[in-house]
């Protein structure tokens, strides 16, 4: 671990004063005095002898050595931690340890080599330094971590520390120019404040606590900050077993997509299919998202599920195309962790290229809660990039996440997906009908499309028709089913609605 100190040894300042090359500036004055005192002979002697004496005394060597001062040996992080704790204790101050995990460095190393990863590490180090104050220390903890020790002070309360973490993460979030390309990384941070411990806390325990907080931040699967507290609970062994089982199930292909159709409210045409995840557990049977999503997110596996769902969704779309079944688009649900992944747009672009499908046939569903909390950060950048690629963005569970109208305008949303809670019994409850009508008026002003979800009855569908909601999804049309089951459902529906075309298709097949 290599610390960077901004202090200078005071001895070197004195040496610099005596031996520095600026001393030669006094030579003309010396020659003048020699000339006045001793005439021309003394003048010539002093002009030649002084630089000679300076050289023999090692002044030039010293000067060049001072121009590149020897690196100050770096004390280990534990020593500095001990020193900071002791100063804080002595002065009645506090200090804090930040452990920072950079997500994306190993990717840079894999793609561009170790030298590029080192270059990225140096850039990140400089960014951390630019946010920190002079006495703070930054240590590298290879391969992808930094440890920041905040110099003891009086005002290091929790809110100041979390604000500092936000500024550090923001500085690290900026694109990195590495090996001639622009790369994004993201950071998770664990914080331990000395205020959380008694006077006799050891440096090791303090550092280990910050590391435990970092582990918790990383386990969320999304770049985040966690502050250590003595109430922090480590995952128990049952939770750890479930995390392990989920990882193994992802490896062995036990996660499968099912699909639920979306239908034009007025036309009755199929306008899309939403992909929903199912775990085909060898012993327990089919498990829905409520039985694994939370644990999957805790163990940082959401990216992997997202990749599996995207691949299966696009493959299903190709199969439906090949079977002559009309499905204009497929929707996938993206978690906050995936949306915080700087590589997301590239990953989706690669997958679209692989399949040869156009981007407008892919809809990205983003929870309103995620967008409402996102602020001006990587989630927005990713959504803008996906929109520019040509994908459409649905704001899922709309009405439950408190997104402001400004947020709706700032994010490149194409359609709001109105939550089932607004639709259930809408044909029998006037308050719900009024609320739905208000949402429709707002979306019309903002030129956003609409889809109502969880439509179960003809009565509910009738009100959606009356209030001019664009699309609908729910058990009224079909429960989620496998790609093959949906092929049958699509063929049956096509047959009912357009028997002539279906007969032609059957002949062709
Ligand atoms: P969601 O995105 O709001 O998906 C709709 C949920 O409502 C689905 O539950 C669907 O089966 C259910 N549903 C559809 N029509 C009706 C209806 O008429 N009545 C009722 N009562 N329910 C209906 P599911 O499949 O259990 O998914 C639950 C949630 O899990 C999803 O809610 C979504 O937030 C999340 N999820 C599912 N798959 C994925 C995935 O691949 N990735 C991520 N990040 N989240 C997923
Ligand atoms: Ca959804
Ligand atoms: Ca929803």
């Amino acid at each position: 671990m290599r610390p960077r100190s901004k202090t200078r040894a005071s001895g070197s300042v004195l040496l610099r004063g005596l031996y520095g090359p600026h001393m030669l500036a006094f030579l003309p004055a010396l020659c003048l005095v020699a000339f006045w005192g001793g005439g021309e002979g003394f003048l010539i002697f002093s002009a030649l002898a002084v630089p000679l004496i300076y050289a023999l005394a090692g002044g030039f060597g010293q000067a060049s050595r001072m121009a590149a001062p020897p690196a100050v040996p770096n004390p280990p992080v534990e020593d500095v931690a001990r020193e900071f704790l002791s100063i804080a204790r002595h002065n009645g101050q506090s200090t804090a340890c930040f452990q920072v995990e950079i997500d994306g460095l190993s990717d840079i190393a894999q793609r561009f080599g170790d030298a590029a990863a080192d270059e990225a590490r140096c850039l990140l180090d400089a960014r951390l330094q630019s946010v920190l104050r002079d006495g703070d220390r930054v240590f590298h903890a290879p391969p992808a971590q930094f440890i920041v020790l905040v110099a003891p002070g009086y005002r290091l309360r929790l809110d100041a520390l979390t604000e500092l973490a936000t500024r550090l993460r923001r500085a690290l979030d900026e694109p990195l120019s590495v090996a001639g390309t622009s790369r994004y990384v993201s950071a998770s941070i664990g914080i331990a404040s000395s205020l959380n411990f008694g006077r006799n806390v050891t440096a090791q325990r303090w550092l280990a606590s910050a590391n435990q907080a970092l582990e918790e931040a990383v386990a969320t699967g999304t770049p985040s900050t966690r502050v250590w507290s003595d109430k922090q609970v480590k995952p128990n062994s049952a939770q750890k077993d479930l995390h392990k089982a989920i990882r193994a199930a992802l490896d062995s292909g036990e996660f499968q997509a099912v699909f639920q159709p979306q239908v034009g409210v007025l036309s009755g045409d199929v306008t899309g299919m939403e992909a929903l995840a199912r775990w085909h557990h060898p012993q327990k049977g089919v498990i829905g998202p409520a039985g694994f999503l939370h644990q999957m997110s805790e163990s940082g596996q959401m990216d992997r599920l997202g990749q599996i769902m995207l691949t299966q969704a696009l493959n299903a779309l190709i199969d439906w195309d090949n079977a002559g079944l009309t499905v204009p688009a497929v929707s996938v649900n993206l978690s906050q962790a995936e949306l915080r992944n700087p590589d997301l747009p590239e990953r989706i672009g690669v997958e679209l290229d692989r399949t040869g499908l156009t981007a407008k046939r892919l809809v990205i569903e983003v929870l309103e809660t995620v967008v409402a909390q996102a602020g001006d950060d990587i989630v927005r950048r990713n959504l803008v990039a996906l929109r520019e690629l040509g994908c459409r963005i649905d704001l899922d569970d709309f009405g439950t996440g408190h997104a402001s109208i400004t947020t709706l305008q700032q994010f490149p949303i194409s359609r709001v997906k109105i939550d089932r809670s607004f639709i259930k019994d809408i044909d029998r409850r006037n308050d719900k009908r009024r609320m739905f009508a208000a949402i429709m008026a707002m979306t019309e002003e903002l030129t956003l499309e609409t889809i109502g979800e969880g439509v179960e009855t003809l009565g509910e569908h009738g009100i959606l028709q009356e209030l001019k909601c664009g699309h609908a999804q729910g058990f009224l049309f079909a429960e989620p089913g496998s790609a093959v089951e949906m092929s049958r459902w699509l063929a049956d529906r096509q047959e009912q609605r357009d028997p002539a075309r279906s007969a032609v298709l059957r002949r062709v097949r």
Side-chain angles (χ1 to χ4, degrees):
M1 296 174 197
R2 286 181 285 124
R4 301 285 186 87
S5 170
K6 293 182 178 178
T7 51
R8 297 272 183 274
S10 55
S12 74
V13 174
L14 188 63
L15 278 176
R16 201 172 296 234
L18 286 175
Y19 285 103
H22 59 269
M23 289 305 286
L24 292 177
F26 292 105
L27 187 58
L30 200 69
C31 293
L32 209 59
V33 171
F35 180 63
W36 282 335
E40 204 172 312
F42 273 93
L43 167 71
I44 293 167
F45 174 78
S46 59
L48 294 176
V50 170
L52 196 67
I53 293 167
Y54 184 81
L56 288 175
F60 289 114
Q62 192 73 31
S64 64
R65 273 196 302 281
M66 278 185 301
V72 183
N74 297 322
V77 62
E78 287 81 9
D79 289 2
V80 180
R82 210 169 292 120
E83 184 194 337
F84 277 15
L85 284 173
S86 148
I87 295 171
R89 204 161 30 230
H90 186 261
N91 297 343
Q93 297 171 317
S94 64
T95 173
C97 173
F98 286 53
Q99 301 217 1
V100 184
E101 168 101 22
I102 307 291
D103 188 16
L105 264 183
S106 54
D107 185 49
I108 292 177
Q110 264 170 22
R111 283 180 194 215
F112 305 106
D114 289 341
D118 277 345
E119 189 188 337
R121 256 187 291 273
C122 289
L123 290 170
L124 294 170
D125 182 309
R127 288 199 189 158
L128 289 171
Q129 304 277 355
S130 71
V131 175
L132 296 167
R133 287 178 308 175
D134 271 4
D136 304 336
R137 295 293 199 81
V138 178
F139 300 80
H140 288 190
Q145 287 186 5
F146 290 93
I147 299 176
V148 175
L149 295 181
V150 181
Y154 291 104
R155 284 193 291 270
L156 298 176
R157 305 242 146 246
L158 188 61
D159 50 348
L161 295 179
T162 49
E163 202 210 304
L164 177 58
T166 306
R167 280 189 284 134
L168 290 173
R169 291 215 352 245
R170 224 173 262 157
L172 297 170
D173 261 5
E174 290 299 313
L176 281 174
S177 179
V178 175
T181 63
S182 206
R183 310 294 309 165
Y184 284 100
V185 297
S186 57
S188 290
I189 298 182
I191 306 174
S193 161
S194 65
L195 288 170
N196 284 113
F197 302 91
R199 282 178 66 77
N200 295 326
V201 61
T202 61
Q204 282 92 339
R205 167 129 195 265
W206 182 40
L207 294 169
S209 303
N211 194 258
Q212 195 185 329
L214 174 63
E215 273 177 22
E216 205 193 293
V218 170
T220 61
T222 161
S224 51
T225 301
R226 287 288 180 277
V227 183
W228 184 87
S229 92
D230 48 3
K231 292 176 199 66
Q232 190 168 349
V233 278
K234 279 187 162 181
N236 61 32
S237 63
Q239 283 164 323
K240 277 190 186 157
D241 286 349
L242 184 54
H243 293 177
K244 230 161 87 189
I246 288 173
R247 263 194 287 272
L250 283 163
D251 289 341
S252 58
E254 289 170 19
F255 285 92
Q256 298 285 324
V258 288
F259 298 89
Q260 190 178 32
Q262 299 170 339
V263 171
V265 170
L266 282 180
S267 66
D269 292 344
V270 171
T271 53
M273 285 276 182
E274 178 180 10
L276 296 156
R278 297 288 180 267
W279 180 1
H280 291 258
H281 196 286
Q283 281 88 41
K284 297 182 187 158
V286 179
I287 302 175
F292 60 80
L293 271 189
H294 178 67
Q295 292 81 355
M296 190 176 261
S297 166
E298 266 181 355
S299 63
Q301 301 295 306
M302 290 306 290
D303 266 331
R304 292 197 57 202
L305 177 72
Q307 184 69 47
I308 290 169
M309 295 296 290
L310 178 66
T311 306
Q312 293 190 11
L314 296 181
N315 288 348
L317 197 52
I318 293 172
D319 289 347
W320 294 322
D321 282 356
N322 289 342
L325 300 164
T326 308
V327 180
V330 71
S331 307
V332 292
N333 292 280
L334 293 193
S335 63
Q336 188 178 32
E338 290 162 88
L339 289 161
R340 297 267 319 152
N341 183 345
D343 290 335
L344 179 75
E346 188 186 332
R347 198 171 78 184
I348 290 183
V350 167
E351 196 64 10
L352 284 167
D353 284 349
R354 177 189 70 80
T355 55
L357 291 164
T358 55
K360 70 172 193 295
R361 299 194 66 197
L362 179 65
V363 179
I364 305 295
E365 291 202 14
V366 185
L367 289 172
E368 189 192 18
T369 40
V370 171
V371 164
Q373 292 161 12
D376 182 21
D377 66 357
I378 196 157
V379 174
R380 204 177 69 82
R381 278 204 305 253
N382 272 343
L383 291 180
V384 168
L386 287 170
R387 193 82 185 84
E388 278 167 3
L389 203 66
C391 300
R392 284 173 291 155
I393 317 283
D394 274 6
L395 193 57
D396 201 357
D397 292 358
F398 182 76
T400 63
H402 311 291
S404 65
I405 293 190
T406 323
T407 314
L408 288 183
Q409 282 176 314
Q410 276 172 351
F411 284 81
I413 292 154
S414 336
R415 184 167 69 166
V416 294
K417 198 164 184 191
I418 303 163
D419 190 65
R420 167 166 162 69
S421 54
F422 293 89
I423 288 161
K424 190 173 167 20
D425 298 333
I426 194 171
D427 50 333
R428 285 185 277 146
R429 287 190 41 184
N430 247 333
D431 55 333
K432 291 209 175 180
R433 190 194 167 107
R434 276 200 302 274
M435 189 71 100
F436 200 93
I439 295 175
M440 293 306 299
M442 183 200 70
T443 51
E444 194 179 348
E445 278 303 312
L446 298 174
T447 59
L448 294 168
E449 283 192 77
T450 45
I451 174 165
E453 65 175 334
V455 180
E456 289 186 355
T457 65
L458 279 171
E460 291 166 353
H461 185 254
I463 304 295
L464 261 56
Q465 234 166 359
E466 200 179 292
L467 295 176
K468 301 206 167 51
C469 180
H471 309 253
Q473 177 180 346
F475 295 165
L476 175 66
F477 307 102
E479 291 199 17
S482 69
V484 174
E485 284 164 346
M486 276 305 128
S487 297
R488 279 198 290 273
W489 181 88
L490 285 161
D492 287 350
R493 191 174 174 88
Q494 226 153 276
E495 176 123 29
Q496 281 163 17
R497 291 168 56 83
D498 190 352
R501 181 164 174 257
S502 292
V504 172
L505 275 175
R506 265 200 306 277
R507 268 205 304 280
V508 172
R509 265 183 262 148

